[in-house]
Amino acid sequence: MQLTYVLELLKPTKRKENIFLNNIAEVVKNRQAVAAKLKAGETKLSSADFKELNLPSAVKNQNIREVKALYKLFLKSGSEKDNIDFKDNQPICYNNQNYNIDHHIISIPLYTTKCQRFAFPVKQTERFEKLQQHIDSGCKLGKASLFYKRGKWYFAVTIKIAAKKTSNSNLMGIDIGLRQLAVASVKNPQGKEINRQFHNGKQAGFIRKKYRMLRRKLGQSKKVKAIKNINDKEQRWMTDLNHKISRQLINLAVQEQVGTIIMENLENIRNTANSLNRADRNIHSWTFYQLQHFVEYKAELAGIKVEYINPKYTSQSCSKCNKIKKSNRKTNLYSCECGNHIHSDLNASRNIANKYLEQQSA
């Protein structure tokens, strides 16, 4: 599998920062030129086709590969735009043969009056130490990119690692929602629950409501830039929360020797989910898919398989007697005539695990 490590560079000198910015400006021109040639039907491109641009040949060739991939997606999308748009802050991309990591020093080719290699130190964080461990163990480096974000410079490195495999037979069903961001039910192969975990969504609902009110006030004042900053801040907060939740879920899975995690296929969640007291009218702001993605890649690192099931009736069925009755679920309580009275989201997570067990035994 492939991982990406985003490393923060120590603050460069003004001279080096200007070199970065000049190269980024050339990257934008290069990508626009590649897109124009692709539109004109020219597909066999090389760095020699862009001699007028002040960039290392390695960067030009990587730009060609990147833009070709983007252009295919652009054509598939059926967009009415004339061609791909490139923002001013494009990353400078490299393949694995054109950069070097030597302890905490990264060296890359850049263009000044000629092509030169420049060395930059990175902050020695826990993230960097993990990357270094992978490198020391012989993992293969992939492509990388230099980019600027919110006043800081970063170097993103991809690395290929061998996925672990586990023979554990316990299961974990995870129900994802708004009132409870995630509820997990851990079961053995016989269907007996051996542990559970809840992640309440009240704080996330409060944060979404807070930022929505701020956006409304800023919108009335027509402060577009401030609204964008608010959106970025909210997204960073939610991403951090999703990382923490997914880490706790995987820690529980490892602790309980889980071999398979089961979640719902949430393709239609944006049309069916309702937030607490309609606090979040814009379901698109909620990060269901991101949380599932974080759980999936962290599970893969731990050697745990992830499966998806059809969510039909998982919230309406009784996890004890399998009777389907919509009225049995009332907000946070699921109450069935068979005597099953439990939290509605725990009931759903049990059903998710049960549904998978039934599929396996069929």
Side-chain angles (χ1 to χ4, degrees):
M1 68 175 295
Q2 185 169 282
L3 291 176
T4 301
Y5 284 91
V6 180
L7 310 173
E8 184 183 341
L9 301 185
L10 293 176
K11 187 173 176 61
T13 63
K14 195 68 178 175
R15 175 180 169 269
K16 285 186 176 180
E17 188 167 61
N18 285 335
I19 293 170
F20 284 170
L21 294 171
N22 289 338
N23 277 254
I24 285 175
E26 292 296 299
V27 165
V28 176
K29 292 177 189 175
N30 190 192
R31 293 192 169 200
Q32 289 170 342
V34 173
K37 285 185 180 291
L38 291 173
K39 186 185 176 185
E42 299 179 46
T43 55
K44 293 183 179 180
L45 301 173
S46 70
S47 59
D49 295 309
F50 307 97
K51 289 179 180 178
E52 72 282 3
L53 295 168
N54 297 322
L55 285 172
S57 294
V59 174
K60 291 179 185 178
N61 287 325
Q62 189 62 29
N63 283 336
I64 292 168
R65 287 189 284 269
E66 299 280 338
V67 176
K68 278 186 174 181
L70 290 171
Y71 194 74
K72 283 182 182 178
L73 294 174
F74 172 74
L75 293 177
K76 283 183 181 179
S77 71
S79 173
E80 295 179 358
K81 290 182 179 180
D82 185 55
N83 207 336
I84 312 175
D85 293 327
F86 292 99
K87 295 180 179 179
D88 291 338
N89 189 17
Q90 291 293 303
I92 305 174
C93 298
Y94 301 92
N95 66 30
N96 60 358
Q97 296 177 351
N98 300 120
Y99 69 91
N100 185 54
I101 300 176
D102 185 10
H103 298 290
H104 71 291
I105 302 296
I106 292 172
S107 65
I108 52 175
L110 291 167
Y111 196 94
T112 52
T113 54
K114 60 180 181 179
C115 183
Q116 295 176 266
R117 289 195 78 86
F118 288 84
F120 305 95
V122 299
K123 285 191 175 180
Q124 297 185 57
T125 60
E126 184 181 348
R127 185 176 297 174
F128 174 75
E129 293 301 325
K130 286 182 180 179
L131 172 63
Q132 195 64 55
Q133 288 170 15
H134 287 310
I135 294 172
D136 293 341
S137 66
C139 292
K140 187 178 179 181
L141 291 169
K143 68 179 184 180
S145 59
L146 174 73
F147 64 95
Y148 180 79
K149 190 173 183 180
R150 291 190 292 273
K152 295 179 180 179
W153 291 95
Y154 298 92
F155 195 72
V157 181
T158 59
I159 192 164
K160 293 178 182 178
I161 64 171
K164 294 179 182 178
K165 289 184 180 180
T166 178
S167 57
N168 293 335
S169 55
N170 290 338
L171 308 170
M172 176 187 281
I174 301 176
D175 179 63
I176 292 175
L178 288 169
R179 292 183 177 90
Q180 295 292 325
L181 303 184
V183 177
S185 172
V186 181
K187 294 194 170 194
N188 64 23
Q190 290 72 46
K192 182 180 178 181
E193 186 176 78
I194 55 178
N195 210 335
R196 63 183 72 165
Q197 191 175 93
F198 287 80
H199 295 275
N200 194 283
K202 284 186 178 179
Q203 186 185 13
F206 172 78
I207 292 293
R208 290 196 306 274
K209 186 175 181 180
K210 169 189 167 184
Y211 283 119
R212 190 178 63 250
M213 291 172 67
L214 278 171
R215 277 192 291 270
R216 186 181 296 134
K217 288 180 181 178
L218 292 168
Q220 291 169 352
S221 304
K222 297 182 179 180
K223 295 181 179 179
V224 179
K225 189 174 180 180
I227 291 173
K228 184 182 182 303
N229 291 337
I230 288 293
N231 289 340
D232 290 344
K233 193 172 182 180
E234 180 184 13
Q235 185 58 45
R236 290 197 300 275
W237 190 90
M238 296 303 297
T239 297
D240 181 64
L241 180 63
N242 277 342
H243 270 302
K244 289 175 180 175
I245 292 172
S246 59
R247 173 45 54 205
Q248 290 176 46
L249 288 167
I250 298 305
N251 285 347
L252 176 66
V254 171
Q255 172 193 311
E256 298 299 342
Q257 299 182 339
V258 168
T260 307
I261 289 174
I262 308 99
M263 295 185 284
E264 295 175 315
N265 186 331
L266 297 177
E267 280 184 11
N268 298 316
I269 191 68
R270 290 176 179 173
N271 299 322
T272 59
N274 292 313
S275 60
L276 184 62
N277 297 323
R278 301 286 180 178
D280 187 3
R281 293 177 179 83
N282 185 6
I283 296 299
H284 290 268
S285 68
W286 180 237
T287 51
F288 292 106
Y289 297 101
Q290 186 189 60
L291 179 54
Q292 285 194 330
H293 170 67
F294 288 171
V295 169
E296 189 170 337
Y297 92 76
K298 287 182 173 73
E300 190 174 355
L301 284 172
I304 299 170
K305 184 171 66 172
V306 175
E307 298 285 351
Y308 290 90
I309 62 158
N310 189 327
K312 193 173 183 180
Y313 302 129
T314 52
S315 63
Q316 299 176 24
S317 302
C318 175
S319 57
K320 188 175 182 181
C321 70
N322 295 325
K323 184 177 181 180
I324 300 171
K325 193 173 181 181
K326 190 175 181 180
S327 60
N328 282 354
R329 175 168 183 158
K330 294 179 180 177
T331 315
N332 290 331
L333 178 66
Y334 188 92
S335 185
C336 182
E337 292 88 343
C338 72
N340 189 24
H341 306 287
I342 60 172
H343 193 286
S344 54
D345 292 322
L346 177 60
N347 181 70
S349 66
R350 286 179 177 177
N351 280 331
I352 291 167
N354 291 344
K355 206 167 185 178
Y356 180 77
L357 280 170
E358 289 168 10
Q359 290 174 1
Q360 295 302 106
S361 60

